[in-house]
Amino acid sequence: MNAFKPRETLTEQVARHIENLIAFEQLRSGERIYESAMAKQMDVSHGSIREGLLLLEKRHLVRNVPRKGAFVTPLDEHFVRSLYETLELYLTHTGRKLVRQWQPNDMQRLESLYEQMRDRFQNNDLMAFLELGIEYTKASLVYADNYFIVSAIEDLWPSAKRCAFVALRHGGKKVLEDNLVHMEESIRIIRERDEQALADILHRYAVQQCEQVLSALNN
């Protein structure tokens, strides 16, 4: 029997639309988001836009300033370094649990996602590649067993996707190749149940991703 999956709410649809505008830089870093214009563009109420913006504030893409309005969160060096430092801390913690506890079906899932990502890379399907990358990381959280860490990581995905687009704009397919190399190496290390080696890989990857984004922002 298939599990019930509720349809996406209007608030979530609004948030996802604005999230994509920010990720693709149709709404720029620090730019004000006008509720009236956005409501007209999406043919929804001002209240729906406001609720979507509140959700995006929780996801670190928008800052709501009292009596001034909503603004795209500035993408600067402090933000980028903070993001990757936090992701590294959380993913290293959950990765160690995965190394200790994985079962054969977990590895099959990770390897399947890796193969799908390689196919998308060869077909130059950028959006599908990035979405699969998020699914790959979510699959690695299977043994996290920590509500707060999983919730925090979920709220960081939109910013991670935003940064990925910035890096891709500057670095092109080399950035995708680096992702695939990291995943192939991490799968091997997880199979070997080597916690420290996985922590080292995650650190190198976080530093590399961070520097790619900062390099793109400075050009």
Side-chain angles (χ1 to χ4, degrees):
M1 182 176 179
N2 292 330
F4 171 69
K5 293 183 179 180
R7 296 182 64 182
E8 194 174 47
T9 67
L10 180 58
T11 297
E12 290 165 337
Q13 291 178 53
V14 168
R16 181 161 48 83
H17 177 76
I18 299 174
E19 176 186 319
N20 286 334
L21 292 178
I22 294 171
F24 287 110
E25 297 184 288
Q26 291 171 277
L27 287 171
R28 296 279 183 174
S29 176
E31 182 177 343
R32 183 175 179 181
I33 302 172
Y34 292 93
E35 287 184 12
S36 296
M38 193 63 67
K40 184 176 181 180
Q41 179 190 121
M42 297 188 67
D43 193 24
V44 297
S45 69
H46 285 224
S48 295
I49 297 296
R50 197 167 299 118
E51 289 175 3
L53 291 173
L54 287 171
L55 185 56
L56 290 177
E57 184 174 40
K58 178 175 178 284
R59 295 174 180 170
H60 314 291
L61 290 179
V62 166
R63 291 180 180 174
N64 288 296
V65 181
R67 296 183 296 280
K68 290 187 178 181
F71 297 82
V72 177
T73 301
L75 195 60
D76 55 24
E77 181 175 354
H78 178 69
F79 182 92
V80 173
R81 290 195 184 281
S82 298
L83 172 66
Y84 284 103
E85 181 179 352
T86 304
L87 282 172
E88 181 189 345
L89 286 170
Y90 285 150
L91 295 178
T92 299
H93 178 78
T94 57
R96 287 181 181 276
K97 289 186 174 181
L98 175 64
V99 166
R100 291 194 295 265
Q101 301 178 52
W102 67 261
Q103 299 297 315
N105 60 312
D106 300 318
M107 294 308 302
Q108 290 168 9
R109 172 69 172 151
L110 293 176
E111 289 169 348
S112 172
L113 288 167
Y114 168 75
E115 292 298 331
Q116 291 177 60
M117 289 183 71
R118 193 166 62 177
D119 289 342
R120 298 302 185 276
F121 171 76
Q122 291 171 349
N123 293 327
N124 206 30
D125 190 343
L126 172 61
M127 277 299 295
F129 183 95
L130 291 176
E131 292 298 333
L132 284 167
I134 291 174
E135 285 303 311
Y136 177 93
T137 310
K138 285 181 177 179
S140 73
L141 300 176
V142 64
Y143 295 107
D145 193 29
N146 187 308
Y147 167 81
F148 295 102
I149 288 179
V150 173
S151 179
I153 292 175
E154 287 286 345
D155 286 337
L156 292 174
W157 287 143
S159 291
K161 184 167 75 172
R162 180 188 183 189
C163 285
F165 277 116
V166 170
L168 283 166
R169 184 192 69 214
H170 177 69
K173 293 192 75 171
K174 175 66 167 58
V175 175
L176 303 185
E177 290 173 350
D178 290 341
N179 271 266
L180 288 173
V181 169
H182 158 73
M183 287 176 182
E184 184 176 22
E185 190 176 7
S186 66
I187 286 173
R188 177 180 60 80
I189 293 299
I190 291 168
R191 274 200 174 280
E192 294 172 358
R193 297 193 186 274
D194 190 333
E195 290 185 37
Q196 188 54 52
L198 181 63
D200 292 342
I201 290 170
L202 289 171
H203 174 70
R204 291 199 306 271
Y205 182 68
V207 170
Q208 181 185 61
Q209 288 274 292
C210 182
E211 293 306 320
Q212 285 174 339
V213 176
L214 292 177
S215 177
L217 291 176
N218 291 327
N219 282 279

